[in-house]
Amino acid sequence: QVYLVESGGGLVQAGGSLRLSCAASGRTFSSYTMAWFRQAPGKEREFVTAISWTGGGSIYYRDSVKGRFTISREDAKNTVYLQMNNLKSEDTAVYYCAARTRKFGGTPGDNAAAKYDYWGQGTQVTVSS
């Protein structure tokens, strides 16, 4: 069992930045594929970005966040981060951290929510225009 706890959400003006953190339990954190999803009111949960296990070195972003968001992981702290810059009103959502033991995949199909085994409780990000 893996437990995930997100933090770092809040209210920010358009063009601003936030950094989300996801702290994970478990001794095999470095072997997990980690991802961020988000869910806006009235919409389905959508994939944002994923990062492979530490030795894999692969990262995948949805097109709308490329160049603005950066995912990273710090295995010594069992933590994955999401640096979000140049935030837009359409980024407003609850952001969820997710983990899986299945290997990393770099396509939308590989990163469907159903393919992730563990989820955090979410953290709210609100971008005011």
Side-chain angles (χ1 to χ4, degrees):
Q1 184 68 26
V2 175
Y3 296 96
L4 305 173
V5 179
E6 302 97 333
S7 61
L11 174 64
V12 63
Q13 289 187 332
S17 299
L18 281 175
R19 188 176 82 155
L20 306 183
S21 299
C22 172
S25 65
R27 293 175 291 178
T28 58
F29 173 77
S30 63
S31 67
Y32 286 101
T33 295
M34 301 297 298
W36 288 94
F37 286 73
R38 65 187 180 186
Q39 188 167 18
K43 295 187 177 181
E44 293 187 353
R45 189 169 300 190
E46 67 178 19
F47 169 80
V48 177
T49 179
I51 186 168
S52 67
W53 72 288
T54 300
S58 299
I59 292 174
Y60 176 61
Y61 297 98
R62 69 179 298 110
D63 286 346
S64 63
V65 306
K66 285 180 181 177
R68 299 189 299 122
F69 289 13
T70 302
I71 189 172
S72 62
R73 63 190 301 160
E74 188 173 359
D75 291 340
K77 294 185 177 181
N78 275 17
T79 300
V80 63
Y81 303 100
L82 182 64
Q83 177 67 43
M84 304 185 294
N85 298 328
N86 191 23
L87 283 159
K88 305 177 180 180
S89 57
E90 52 263 42
D91 296 318
T92 294
V94 176
Y95 282 71
Y96 297 90
C97 178
R100 72 186 195 195
T101 56
R102 188 180 295 110
K103 68 179 182 179
F104 175 88
T107 69
D110 289 332
N111 291 287
K115 294 189 175 181
Y116 282 83
D117 305 309
Y118 307 104
W119 293 85
Q121 83 290 348
T123 185
Q124 176 70 47
V125 172
T126 303
V127 184
S128 63
S129 57

